Amino acid sequence: MRYLWAWLPLLMGLGMIGARVPGLLHAPHPVVEIVDALNFVLAVTVVVLAIRSGRRFFRPRSNT
């Protein structure tokens, strides 16, 4: 689980960098739209991974 928590900020940083690169390179509009769609998919993936690992971390433990 520690491994997953380490990747979450890195994936969000990758999304932020990916959002800025097409504008800095003066890419055409379709390229910007594709990169925005990929960043959205990456953000949804990170949220799902965070929820899954959070549920695993905060799950009640049995006393047996």
Side-chain angles (χ1 to χ4, degrees):
M1 185 168 50
R2 269 187 261 170
Y3 180 74
L4 181 64
W5 280 109
W7 276 98
L8 293 176
L10 295 174
L11 289 173
M12 290 308 296
L14 177 68
M16 289 189 289
I17 290 170
R20 297 290 300 163
V21 169
L24 293 173
L25 297 176
H26 303 291
H29 186 69
V31 173
V32 174
E33 292 297 321
I34 291 170
V35 171
D36 283 345
L38 291 174
N39 281 335
F40 178 73
V41 170
L42 179 65
V44 169
T45 303
V46 168
V47 168
V48 168
L49 291 175
I51 289 171
R52 285 182 63 192
S53 63
R55 283 182 52 205
R56 208 174 293 145
F57 182 75
F58 292 113
R59 164 176 68 197
R61 303 204 175 19
S62 63
N63 292 335
T64 59

